Amino acid sequence: MPIIKRILSIDDQASICQMIQFTMSDLSDDKITYEVDTASDGASGIEMAKNKSYDLVITDQKMPGPIDGIAVIKTLKALPNYHNTPIVMLTMETTETMKNAARSAGASGWMNKPFTPISLTTMVQKVLR
């Protein structure tokens, strides 16, 4: 029976969430199955994370509503279940200031948009070791 790894993808671009779902589904095999849930904004992503346990959270920085990616990371890292859970920022923002803010908030990694399936699977395998 395969190990199940649950991933939460938070991004207002449905195509990004779909690409993550498809890529992780393709990566699943008889040893590890990746299940990806999606949220279209920070508030709904936080609610989903409070109601279900995830092994990895991938969040965009700029999203509609009052909760951006940095706020998602800070909020989740403050929860006991997510203190040690890897959270990766996936964004078009490339400034060192933003990268430092994500690290300070507790991000485990950073990926720039657009990304390739190979870069996504490499990052996921790295942070879920």
Side-chain angles (χ1 to χ4, degrees):
M1 187 158 179
I3 295 169
I4 297 173
K5 295 289 184 177
R6 290 180 176 83
I7 299 170
L8 175 59
S9 172
I10 308 171
D11 200 303
D12 58 311
Q13 292 180 322
S15 60
I16 296 292
C17 291
Q18 288 174 338
M19 185 170 175
I20 292 171
Q21 285 179 310
F22 295 146
T23 301
M24 298 317 300
S25 177
D26 287 347
L27 188 62
S28 294
D29 57 27
D30 59 345
K31 294 180 183 174
I32 299 177
T33 297
Y34 295 94
E35 292 180 359
V36 180
D37 291 337
T38 64
S40 60
D41 60 58
S44 60
I46 289 168
E47 279 308 305
M48 289 177 75
K50 286 180 177 178
N51 293 313
K52 189 173 182 179
S53 179
Y54 293 97
D55 300 295
L56 169 64
V57 177
I58 302 171
T59 185
D60 188 14
Q61 167 54 18
K62 289 186 178 181
M63 295 179 281
I67 301 175
D68 65 8
I70 298 292
V72 167
I73 295 168
K74 287 180 180 177
T75 301
L76 293 182
K77 286 297 184 176
L79 300 173
N81 316 12
Y82 288 93
H83 186 71
N84 294 317
T85 301
I87 302 176
V88 173
M89 181 73 75
L90 175 62
T91 185
M92 293 177 75
E93 299 259 349
T94 59
T95 66
E96 281 304 311
T97 303
M98 184 55 68
K99 289 180 182 181
N100 289 335
R103 275 189 217 103
S104 294
S108 310
W110 183 279
M111 279 188 55
N112 291 328
K113 290 181 186 178
F115 63 94
T116 64
I118 291 171
S119 63
L120 176 66
T121 57
T122 300
M123 179 275 300
V124 168
Q125 291 172 329
K126 180 181 174 184
V127 298
L128 286 181
R129 277 189 210 164

